[in-house]
Amino acid sequence: MLEEALSAIQNAQDLEALKALRARYLGKKGLLTQALKELAHLPLEEKRRRGQELNALKEALEKALEEREKALEERALEEALRGERLDVTLPGVRLFAGGLHPITLITRELLAIFRALGYQAVAGPEVESEFFNFDALNIPEHHPARDMWDTFWLEPAEGFTLKGPMGEEAKGRLLLRTHTSPMQVRYMVAHTPPFRIVVPGRVFRFEQTDATHEAVFHQLEGLVVGEGITMAHLKGAIYELAQALFGPDSKVRFQPVYFPFVEPGAQFALWWPEGGKWLELGGAGMVHPKVFQAVDAYRKGLGLPPAYEGVTGFAFGLGVERLAMLRYGIPDIRYFFGGRLKFLEAFRGVL
């Protein structure tokens, strides 16, 4: 039995065959197991002799099985390593590297410019109330100026409550904010002057899209309030913006325009020396006294003292997409939200 078993074990080609041999000889119904059971029927002297032979046979088989199992495992490992081996001399495969969206790039650049001028960046909700978006900004209901902002009105979800700047329930119907200007009122209610802030954010208007218009776009709002703030300070801020964006040869141009929440109001443009043209970038003006009055009235309703008597301030807002289109030569505003990989891959590595 020993020679036959050892030969079979040495010739086993895989672990499954070896497992079958182990069961054949050493299993519960194996040949050696059955032989050990038959010892009970033998005379005492023969039982001792036969028992020693069978124990020696068992040890030899167990040792042979263990050695063959180890050899088969090593062979399987070598075959696996050969099959999975990598040729490290081959050129590497270039993996896709992500990048920042052009809107993010421009927004970060604008925030860095204004932070260097002492402005603080703040953020506000995209779901806004009619009060902060219109009423407090001197645009009451049925005011013709509301036609300037085509509005997405919302039906409030059950249990949803929009919070005001001090945690109170906001007044008025709900909407998707049409501009970042509501943060002017929100910030002034919760803070006292002097301060300088900028508000980057996404805004929404219900209008037909084309190469230069989109229903969702981004703005950067600016607000400065304190004693003795004038249009000269506003012009200085926009001038510093132009210099930082387009270099020392850039210029600033203001043209009168009407916005309900500023008086006087202006449309400002920056001279782009490289392109040799004026870029109309946004609107600005001195904060309307009625806006300050609305803020103090709101503060009074919250039990807060008035804070905006005798102060002045300026505000401005600019379109981020418009600036990005100029900076990166993008012909169509719809590219920003189209999800086209060809477009987005062009900005990999741009920081």
Side-chain angles (χ1 to χ4, degrees), residues 93-280:
V93 178
R94 184 176 181 180
L95 299 178
F96 176 79
L100 295 177
H101 193 278
I103 296 299
T104 302
L105 293 170
I106 288 294
T107 300
R108 287 187 175 186
E109 183 177 358
L110 292 171
L111 291 180
I113 292 171
F114 283 106
R115 284 190 177 115
L117 297 175
Y119 288 69
Q120 176 188 0
V122 298
E126 293 180 349
V127 174
E128 191 53 277
S129 76
E130 181 180 17
F131 175 79
F132 292 117
N133 196 87
F134 290 126
D135 297 342
L137 291 172
N138 195 31
I139 316 174
E141 190 174 7
H142 306 306
H143 193 292
R146 284 204 184 190
D147 293 339
M148 299 167 59
W149 291 274
D150 298 315
T151 308
F152 288 100
W153 297 95
L154 302 177
E155 290 291 338
E158 184 177 353
F160 175 79
T161 300
L162 180 67
K163 299 297 183 182
M166 303 300 290
E168 75 285 0
E169 182 176 352
K171 299 183 293 184
R173 294 177 291 172
L174 295 182
L175 51 87
L176 291 177
R177 66 179 180 186
T178 59
H179 47 181
T180 47
S181 301
M183 269 305 293
Q184 291 186 30
V185 180
R186 283 181 170 270
Y187 192 86
M188 284 193 285
V189 167
H191 300 81
T192 57
F195 53 75
R196 284 174 282 186
I197 64 168
V198 284
V199 186
R202 186 168 54 173
V203 298
F204 309 84
R205 294 185 189 173
F206 184 64
E207 58 183 45
Q208 187 173 357
T209 62
D210 55 33
T212 57
H213 296 85
E214 182 57 276
V216 181
F217 55 99
H218 294 76
Q219 289 185 337
L220 183 80
E221 188 85 10
L223 176 67
V224 175
V225 178
E227 293 185 5
I229 300 297
T230 68
M231 281 289 288
H233 296 105
L234 168 60
K235 186 174 181 179
I238 303 301
Y239 176 79
E240 291 295 332
L241 172 64
Q243 296 286 293
L245 287 175
F246 302 127
D249 294 330
S250 182
K251 296 178 288 186
V252 176
R253 182 177 69 187
F254 283 78
Q255 295 176 301
V257 71
Y258 171 75
F259 295 109
F261 38 86
V262 291
E263 180 60 40
Q267 190 84 21
F268 64 89
L270 310 184
W271 174 254
W272 180 32
E274 183 179 347
K277 63 180 180 180
W278 288 97
L279 171 66
E280 292 186 0

Side-chain angles (χ1 to χ4, degrees), residues 83-95:
E84 298 175 3
R85 183 177 60 183
L86 297 177
D87 186 351
V88 295
T89 64
L90 290 173
V93 178
R94 184 176 181 180
L95 299 178

